[in-house]
Every structure is written in C-alpha cells, then in structure tokens.
Amino acid sequence: MRNRGKVWLVGAGPGDPDLLTLKAARLIAAARVAVVDRLVGAGILALLPSDCRVIDVGKETGHHSLPQPEINALLVRLASDGADVVRLKGGDPFIFGRGGEEVLELAAAGIPFAVVPGITAAAGCAAAAGIPLTHRGIAEGVRLVTGHLQQDHALDLDWTRLADPRCTLVVYMGVGSVAPLSGGLMAAGLNAATPVAVIERGTTAAQRTLFSTVGTLVDDVARWQPQPPALLVIGEVVRLAQDRPLAAVATGEVCCG
Ligand code: SAH
C-alpha cells in the first residue's frame, strides 16, 4: 500500500491575498495538489506554484458543480493515493464552509488532516466596510447565520431570537432571501429602521457597500442587484460606518495598506 497523504483544510479568507495567514500562505506556496472552491479569488490562486495540480470543485448558489459527497470522496481518494492535498476554502473552513463534513469523512477514512483557520467574511467585510461588529453600548454580541434556502424549504430561522436590537446579525448567503429575512425580523419585532449593510465582494478591489434598512431592504436590493459573494450585516452598529470617522474606512479615504 502506498503511503497516505495528508489533507490541509486551509481558510483562504475573504479575497484579499494580504489577509491570508502566514501558515496558509506557506502551504499554498508549497502545494502539489490543490482542491479549490469558487470563492477563492484569482489573487490567491496565483500564489499556487505553476506546476501545482489544481482541481476546481467550485460552487455557486444553485450550481453545485461537484456535490459535497463527491468532494469528500475526492479528498479521500487523493490522499489515499499518496497526495498531500491543500483544500482551499473561502473565508474560514468551519464557518458555513462545510469543512466539518470534510473532516468527518477524512477521519472516518483514517486520513490525517489539519485545519488552518481563515478570516471569515463577517470579520473581513466588516473591517473593510468600517463596521465594528460589536460596540460598547450598541451591540454586545454578534450572530452569524445562513440565509441559504434548502431546496423547496422556507427560511427556517428562530426569528424571535434573531430580532435582538443589541446583537449584530450577519447573514451569509442571504441576498436571495432578503424578503423572508426582513419580513421575519420585522414580524418578530425588529424596528424597520434598523440599518443594514450589504457588502459585495468584500476586501477585493471590486468591493461595494449598500446601506439600507430592514424595512427598505427588499426594494434596495432589487434596485442595486448585488453581485456574489455578498454579505448582510444587520444592526445599529452599521450606523457607525455611515458616520464619520468610520465612514472614511468604507470609502477608502483612510487607508494604511
Ligand atoms: N467559509 C466562508 C463562507 C462560505 S458561505 C467564510 O468563512 O467566509 C459563502 C457566503 O460567504 C457568500 O454567499 C457570502 O455571503 C459570504 N462571503 C464570502 N466571501 C465574501 C466576500 N468577499 N464578500 C462578501 N461576502 C462574502
């Protein structure tokens, strides 16, 4: 039997290559085989060695080019054949990245693995848009949820718990669900004037931020048509990014690198 390879689940962060961890950058620069998601940007793929075998299992909402069980099986197969595999995932592997499923499958197959954390979209986008996710006196916590609709299922979230004016709500994969999201939050008592930021392609040169409110979100998103990937940040902290001095971060007026 050939020696088994190892699989590194590597968080590639939200897009800007400068936001890679040193460990991720080191593994990417030495990769022989890389299995990559669509969210991993061109700037990061360019850091892979030119002779690295790159397998694109890219996913977009609604178009899973390779279903998750097949990705899991592919990782097991590559490592069983002796390859050391860099499994590159957008953001952090364990935050809406299905990294848990991959790790369970690798463990079941006896493949050694390691997980390298990445900057998740919530942290990257908030920093790039000038939104402190928690802020003394305004938000004492932050919740990360997914707005992704399972096929033929209504968005099933605990609205009473989420409609908390003192806790920032970050919604991944939520742009397609703004109607049930804003409707559910308002029905559970969240003020319609609560500010919302929609951050498109956060941390990349193409980043745009739309400021809206829970009450006007559906119309604003229809007009603005955010391009993926985009993240929703809902809560009073968003107001801080609309006012100086933090607004200067969002517009790039304040920039130190
Ligand atoms: N594991 C990833 C999330 C994968 S789910 C992480 O930790 O960030 C994919 C969702 O992440 C997208 O639908 C979008 O809501 C969000 N996302 C990822 N990168 C983003 C970016 N650069 N800008 C805005 N949203 C992003």
Side-chain angles (χ1 to χ4, degrees):
M1 202 179 105
R2 253 189 268 190
N3 278 343
R4 297 200 138 185
K6 178 170 175 177
V7 177
W8 281 267
L9 264 77
V10 178
D16 178 356
D18 276 353
L19 294 179
L20 286 171
T21 62
L22 292 175
K23 191 167 190 177
R26 184 166 53 72
L27 288 164
I28 290 170
R32 308 296 313 142
V33 178
V35 176
V36 304
D37 280 348
R38 184 156 315 183
L39 267 182
V40 178
I44 287 165
L45 296 181
L47 302 176
L48 288 164
S50 55
D51 59 349
C52 173
R53 178 178 171 206
V54 181
I55 304 170
D56 185 356
V57 293
K59 291 179 242 166
E60 253 177 18
T61 316
H63 309 272
H64 288 245
S65 50
L66 202 59
Q68 189 64 44
E70 289 181 35
I71 298 176
N72 301 346
L74 172 71
L75 296 175
V76 169
R77 198 166 60 242
L78 289 166
S80 301
D81 286 347
D84 280 336
V85 181
V86 172
R87 170 71 177 113
L88 263 184
K89 302 172 87 61
D92 182 86
F94 280 174
I95 297 184
F96 304 124
R98 306 192 72 171
E101 291 162 63
E102 294 177 11
V103 157
L104 288 174
E105 196 84 4
L106 292 167
I111 309 275
F113 63 86
V115 181
V116 180
I119 293 187
T120 192
C125 292
I131 303 169
L133 290 175
T134 65
H135 194 84
R136 192 176 284 259
I138 299 180
E140 57 213 18
V142 54
R143 280 203 179 90
L144 312 183
V145 299
T146 170
H148 182 65
L149 297 171
Q150 301 295 337
Q151 241 159 17
D152 302 328
H153 283 75
L155 194 58
D156 184 21
L157 294 172
D158 182 346
W159 300 112
T160 316
R161 194 187 291 234
L162 297 185
D164 176 354
R166 299 190 57 83
C167 187
T168 306
L169 185 61
V170 179
V171 187
Y172 289 67
M173 296 170 276
V175 169
S177 315
V178 285
L181 261 173
S182 51
L185 290 171
M186 287 189 289
L190 192 69
N191 190 335
T194 305
V196 180
V198 184
I199 303 155
E200 176 190 293
R201 300 173 179 170
T203 79
T204 73
Q207 174 175 322
R208 294 196 303 164
T209 305
L210 163 74
F211 291 110
S212 179
T213 65
V214 171
T216 54
L217 185 61
V218 172
D219 287 345
D220 285 342
V221 161
R223 208 170 319 116
W224 204 64
Q225 302 262 324
Q227 299 302 303
L231 191 78
L232 309 176
V233 181
I234 304 172
E236 292 300 328
V237 287
V238 170
R239 246 183 256 290
L240 295 168
Q242 292 172 282
D243 299 334
R244 301 197 140 263
L246 278 170
V249 174
T251 58
E253 281 172 51
V254 174
C255 181
C256 34

mmCIF file of all heavy atoms in Angstrom, residues 91-121:
data_model
loop_
_atom_site.group_PDB
_atom_site.id
_atom_site.type_symbol
_atom_site.label_atom_id
_atom_site.label_comp_id
_atom_site.label_asym_id
_atom_site.label_seq_id
_atom_site.Cartn_x
_atom_site.Cartn_y
_atom_site.Cartn_z
ATOM 1 N N GLY A 91 -12.846 32.140 3.069
ATOM 2 C CA GLY A 91 -13.082 32.517 4.466
ATOM 3 C C GLY A 91 -12.454 31.533 5.427
ATOM 4 O O GLY A 91 -11.271 31.194 5.324
ATOM 5 N N ASP A 92 -13.267 31.052 6.368
ATOM 6 C CA ASP A 92 -12.825 30.065 7.347
ATOM 7 C C ASP A 92 -13.483 28.725 7.013
ATOM 8 O O ASP A 92 -14.667 28.688 6.709
ATOM 9 C CB ASP A 92 -13.243 30.510 8.759
ATOM 10 C CG ASP A 92 -12.767 29.526 9.803
ATOM 11 O OD1 ASP A 92 -11.617 29.668 10.253
ATOM 12 O OD2 ASP A 92 -13.523 28.597 10.151
ATOM 13 N N PRO A 93 -12.703 27.628 7.087
ATOM 14 C CA PRO A 93 -13.275 26.331 6.684
ATOM 15 C C PRO A 93 -14.462 25.884 7.536
ATOM 16 O O PRO A 93 -15.314 25.141 7.067
ATOM 17 C CB PRO A 93 -12.109 25.356 6.864
ATOM 18 C CG PRO A 93 -10.880 26.186 6.904
ATOM 19 C CD PRO A 93 -11.278 27.521 7.443
ATOM 20 N N PHE A 94 -14.506 26.358 8.789
ATOM 21 C CA PHE A 94 -15.540 25.860 9.708
ATOM 22 C C PHE A 94 -16.700 26.836 9.868
ATOM 23 O O PHE A 94 -17.523 26.679 10.767
ATOM 24 C CB PHE A 94 -14.918 25.558 11.084
ATOM 25 C CG PHE A 94 -14.199 24.223 11.152
ATOM 26 C CD1 PHE A 94 -13.479 23.874 12.291
ATOM 27 C CD2 PHE A 94 -14.257 23.307 10.105
ATOM 28 C CE1 PHE A 94 -12.824 22.643 12.382
ATOM 29 C CE2 PHE A 94 -13.602 22.075 10.180
ATOM 30 C CZ PHE A 94 -12.886 21.749 11.320
ATOM 31 N N ILE A 95 -16.747 27.880 9.046
ATOM 32 C CA ILE A 95 -17.905 28.786 9.120
ATOM 33 C C ILE A 95 -18.618 28.737 7.778
ATOM 34 O O ILE A 95 -18.127 29.259 6.773
ATOM 35 C CB ILE A 95 -17.480 30.216 9.507
ATOM 36 C CG1 ILE A 95 -16.860 30.177 10.897
ATOM 37 C CG2 ILE A 95 -18.687 31.164 9.477
ATOM 38 C CD1 ILE A 95 -16.480 31.499 11.482
ATOM 39 N N PHE A 96 -19.737 28.066 7.753
ATOM 40 C CA PHE A 96 -20.531 27.863 6.536
ATOM 41 C C PHE A 96 -19.661 27.403 5.364
ATOM 42 O O PHE A 96 -19.889 27.794 4.232
ATOM 43 C CB PHE A 96 -21.330 29.125 6.176
ATOM 44 C CG PHE A 96 -22.213 29.579 7.292
ATOM 45 C CD1 PHE A 96 -22.114 30.867 7.805
ATOM 46 C CD2 PHE A 96 -23.123 28.718 7.861
ATOM 47 C CE1 PHE A 96 -22.914 31.277 8.867
ATOM 48 C CE2 PHE A 96 -23.923 29.108 8.928
ATOM 49 C CZ PHE A 96 -23.818 30.397 9.424
ATOM 50 N N GLY A 97 -18.663 26.593 5.685
ATOM 51 C CA GLY A 97 -17.748 26.136 4.633
ATOM 52 C C GLY A 97 -17.811 24.631 4.425
ATOM 53 O O GLY A 97 -17.071 24.101 3.605
ATOM 54 N N ARG A 98 -18.648 23.959 5.203
ATOM 55 C CA ARG A 98 -18.800 22.506 5.125
ATOM 56 C C ARG A 98 -17.489 21.779 5.421
ATOM 57 O O ARG A 98 -17.304 20.626 5.046
ATOM 58 C CB ARG A 98 -19.406 22.099 3.778
ATOM 59 C CG ARG A 98 -20.708 22.868 3.545
ATOM 60 C CD ARG A 98 -21.532 22.346 2.408
ATOM 61 N NE ARG A 98 -22.146 21.063 2.736
ATOM 62 C CZ ARG A 98 -23.069 20.476 1.973
ATOM 63 N NH1 ARG A 98 -23.475 21.050 0.860
ATOM 64 N NH2 ARG A 98 -23.584 19.318 2.316
ATOM 65 N N GLY A 99 -16.579 22.514 6.103
ATOM 66 C CA GLY A 99 -15.310 21.902 6.492
ATOM 67 C C GLY A 99 -15.527 20.756 7.468
ATOM 68 O O GLY A 99 -14.792 19.764 7.448
ATOM 69 N N GLY A 100 -16.543 20.885 8.305
ATOM 70 C CA GLY A 100 -16.834 19.836 9.287
ATOM 71 C C GLY A 100 -17.140 18.512 8.608
ATOM 72 O O GLY A 100 -16.675 17.448 9.037
ATOM 73 N N GLU A 101 -17.910 18.601 7.523
ATOM 74 C CA GLU A 101 -18.275 17.369 6.808
ATOM 75 C C GLU A 101 -17.039 16.719 6.195
ATOM 76 O O GLU A 101 -16.887 15.492 6.211
ATOM 77 C CB GLU A 101 -19.294 17.680 5.713
ATOM 78 C CG GLU A 101 -20.643 18.091 6.281
ATOM 79 C CD GLU A 101 -21.497 18.809 5.254
ATOM 80 O OE1 GLU A 101 -21.843 18.185 4.238
ATOM 81 O OE2 GLU A 101 -21.802 20.003 5.459
ATOM 82 N N GLU A 102 -16.157 17.547 5.656
ATOM 83 C CA GLU A 102 -14.948 17.011 5.025
ATOM 84 C C GLU A 102 -14.044 16.350 6.069
ATOM 85 O O GLU A 102 -13.496 15.271 5.860
ATOM 86 C CB GLU A 102 -14.226 18.123 4.246
ATOM 87 C CG GLU A 102 -15.071 18.584 3.069
ATOM 88 C CD GLU A 102 -14.497 19.743 2.268
ATOM 89 O OE1 GLU A 102 -13.328 20.110 2.458
ATOM 90 O OE2 GLU A 102 -15.246 20.294 1.435
ATOM 91 N N VAL A 103 -13.918 17.008 7.202
ATOM 92 C CA VAL A 103 -13.067 16.486 8.271
ATOM 93 C C VAL A 103 -13.616 15.157 8.804
ATOM 94 O O VAL A 103 -12.856 14.212 9.058
ATOM 95 C CB VAL A 103 -12.970 17.556 9.387
ATOM 96 C CG1 VAL A 103 -12.618 16.946 10.716
ATOM 97 C CG2 VAL A 103 -11.958 18.625 9.010
ATOM 98 N N LEU A 104 -14.929 15.068 8.956
ATOM 99 C CA LEU A 104 -15.520 13.821 9.468
ATOM 100 C C LEU A 104 -15.253 12.667 8.514
ATOM 101 O O LEU A 104 -14.950 11.551 8.919
ATOM 102 C CB LEU A 104 -17.034 13.995 9.678
ATOM 103 C CG LEU A 104 -17.439 14.868 10.864
ATOM 104 C CD1 LEU A 104 -18.948 15.082 10.890
ATOM 105 C CD2 LEU A 104 -16.965 14.243 12.173
ATOM 106 N N GLU A 105 -15.358 12.980 7.227
ATOM 107 C CA GLU A 105 -15.144 11.952 6.208
ATOM 108 C C GLU A 105 -13.672 11.507 6.192
ATOM 109 O O GLU A 105 -13.370 10.325 6.074
ATOM 110 C CB GLU A 105 -15.525 12.554 4.849
ATOM 111 C CG GLU A 105 -15.717 11.558 3.771
ATOM 112 C CD GLU A 105 -17.109 10.943 3.748
ATOM 113 O OE1 GLU A 105 -17.977 11.365 4.556
ATOM 114 O OE2 GLU A 105 -17.317 10.040 2.935
ATOM 115 N N LEU A 106 -12.762 12.481 6.305
ATOM 116 C CA LEU A 106 -11.328 12.157 6.322
ATOM 117 C C LEU A 106 -10.999 11.315 7.547
ATOM 118 O O LEU A 106 -10.283 10.310 7.457
ATOM 119 C CB LEU A 106 -10.493 13.443 6.319
ATOM 120 C CG LEU A 106 -10.552 14.268 5.028
ATOM 121 C CD1 LEU A 106 -9.958 15.661 5.250
ATOM 122 C CD2 LEU A 106 -9.832 13.560 3.890
ATOM 123 N N ALA A 107 -11.552 11.714 8.682
ATOM 124 C CA ALA A 107 -11.286 10.973 9.926
ATOM 125 C C ALA A 107 -11.806 9.544 9.797
ATOM 126 O O ALA A 107 -11.124 8.593 10.189
ATOM 127 C CB ALA A 107 -11.943 11.689 11.110
ATOM 128 N N ALA A 108 -13.000 9.395 9.212
ATOM 129 C CA ALA A 108 -13.589 8.057 9.073
ATOM 130 C C ALA A 108 -12.720 7.170 8.180
ATOM 131 O O ALA A 108 -12.654 5.962 8.362
ATOM 132 C CB ALA A 108 -15.005 8.165 8.509
ATOM 133 N N ALA A 109 -12.049 7.817 7.206
ATOM 134 C CA ALA A 109 -11.213 7.041 6.281
ATOM 135 C C ALA A 109 -9.781 6.891 6.804
ATOM 136 O O ALA A 109 -8.930 6.319 6.134
ATOM 137 C CB ALA A 109 -11.204 7.726 4.913
ATOM 138 N N GLY A 110 -9.513 7.439 7.981
ATOM 139 C CA GLY A 110 -8.178 7.310 8.568
ATOM 140 C C GLY A 110 -7.130 8.179 7.892
ATOM 141 O O GLY A 110 -5.934 7.896 7.966
ATOM 142 N N ILE A 111 -7.571 9.261 7.231
ATOM 143 C CA ILE A 111 -6.630 10.171 6.561
ATOM 144 C C ILE A 111 -6.226 11.269 7.549
ATOM 145 O O ILE A 111 -7.097 11.927 8.128
ATOM 146 C CB ILE A 111 -7.299 10.860 5.342
ATOM 147 C CG1 ILE A 111 -7.960 9.842 4.423
ATOM 148 C CG2 ILE A 111 -6.335 11.803 4.633
ATOM 149 C CD1 ILE A 111 -7.070 9.202 3.425
ATOM 150 N N PRO A 112 -4.926 11.498 7.721
ATOM 151 C CA PRO A 112 -4.530 12.598 8.609
ATOM 152 C C PRO A 112 -4.890 13.949 8.004
ATOM 153 O O PRO A 112 -4.772 14.141 6.793
ATOM 154 C CB PRO A 112 -3.011 12.441 8.735
ATOM 155 C CG PRO A 112 -2.589 11.421 7.751
ATOM 156 C CD PRO A 112 -3.794 10.769 7.152
ATOM 157 N N PHE A 113 -5.322 14.866 8.839
ATOM 158 C CA PHE A 113 -5.726 16.180 8.330
ATOM 159 C C PHE A 113 -5.382 17.258 9.355
ATOM 160 O O PHE A 113 -5.133 16.973 10.524
ATOM 161 C CB PHE A 113 -7.229 16.225 8.022
ATOM 162 C CG PHE A 113 -8.088 16.026 9.233
ATOM 163 C CD1 PHE A 113 -8.429 17.103 10.045
ATOM 164 C CD2 PHE A 113 -8.540 14.760 9.576
ATOM 165 C CE1 PHE A 113 -9.198 16.919 11.179
ATOM 166 C CE2 PHE A 113 -9.308 14.564 10.717
ATOM 167 C CZ PHE A 113 -9.640 15.645 11.527
ATOM 168 N N ALA A 114 -5.369 18.496 8.863
ATOM 169 C CA ALA A 114 -5.202 19.642 9.751
ATOM 170 C C ALA A 114 -6.070 20.772 9.213
ATOM 171 O O ALA A 114 -6.352 20.828 8.016
ATOM 172 C CB ALA A 114 -3.737 20.077 9.792
ATOM 173 N N VAL A 115 -6.491 21.651 10.108
ATOM 174 C CA VAL A 115 -7.352 22.766 9.711
ATOM 175 C C VAL A 115 -6.626 24.076 9.985
ATOM 176 O O VAL A 115 -6.113 24.292 11.079
ATOM 177 C CB VAL A 115 -8.693 22.734 10.484
ATOM 178 C CG1 VAL A 115 -9.596 23.876 10.042
ATOM 179 C CG2 VAL A 115 -9.393 21.395 10.287
ATOM 180 N N VAL A 116 -6.556 24.915 8.974
ATOM 181 C CA VAL A 116 -5.914 26.225 9.114
ATOM 182 C C VAL A 116 -7.021 27.281 9.049
ATOM 183 O O VAL A 116 -7.674 27.414 8.013
ATOM 184 C CB VAL A 116 -4.889 26.456 7.982
ATOM 185 C CG1 VAL A 116 -4.229 27.820 8.131
ATOM 186 C CG2 VAL A 116 -3.843 25.351 7.984
ATOM 187 N N PRO A 117 -7.245 28.009 10.127
ATOM 188 C CA PRO A 117 -8.356 28.962 10.113
ATOM 189 C C PRO A 117 -8.111 30.107 9.137
ATOM 190 O O PRO A 117 -6.963 30.416 8.809
ATOM 191 C CB PRO A 117 -8.402 29.482 11.552
ATOM 192 C CG PRO A 117 -7.035 29.257 12.083
ATOM 193 C CD PRO A 117 -6.489 28.040 11.376
ATOM 194 N N GLY A 118 -9.197 30.708 8.679
ATOM 195 C CA GLY A 118 -9.077 31.869 7.793
ATOM 196 C C GLY A 118 -9.951 32.989 8.315
ATOM 197 O O GLY A 118 -10.798 32.773 9.194
ATOM 198 N N ILE A 119 -9.744 34.175 7.785
ATOM 199 C CA ILE A 119 -10.597 35.305 8.172
ATOM 200 C C ILE A 119 -11.946 35.106 7.512
ATOM 201 O O ILE A 119 -12.049 35.041 6.280
ATOM 202 C CB ILE A 119 -9.963 36.642 7.758
ATOM 203 C CG1 ILE A 119 -8.700 36.856 8.591
ATOM 204 C CG2 ILE A 119 -10.950 37.787 7.926
ATOM 205 C CD1 ILE A 119 -8.051 38.203 8.409
ATOM 206 N N THR A 120 -12.974 34.958 8.321
ATOM 207 C CA THR A 120 -14.303 34.721 7.774
ATOM 208 C C THR A 120 -14.881 36.014 7.186
ATOM 209 O O THR A 120 -14.457 37.117 7.551
ATOM 210 C CB THR A 120 -15.216 34.125 8.862
ATOM 211 O OG1 THR A 120 -16.406 33.646 8.239
ATOM 212 C CG2 THR A 120 -15.563 35.136 9.944
ATOM 213 N N ALA A 121 -15.827 35.846 6.254
ATOM 214 C CA ALA A 121 -16.387 37.004 5.554
ATOM 215 C C ALA A 121 -16.900 38.060 6.530
ATOM 216 O O ALA A 121 -16.744 39.261 6.284
ATOM 217 C CB ALA A 121 -17.503 36.552 4.612
#
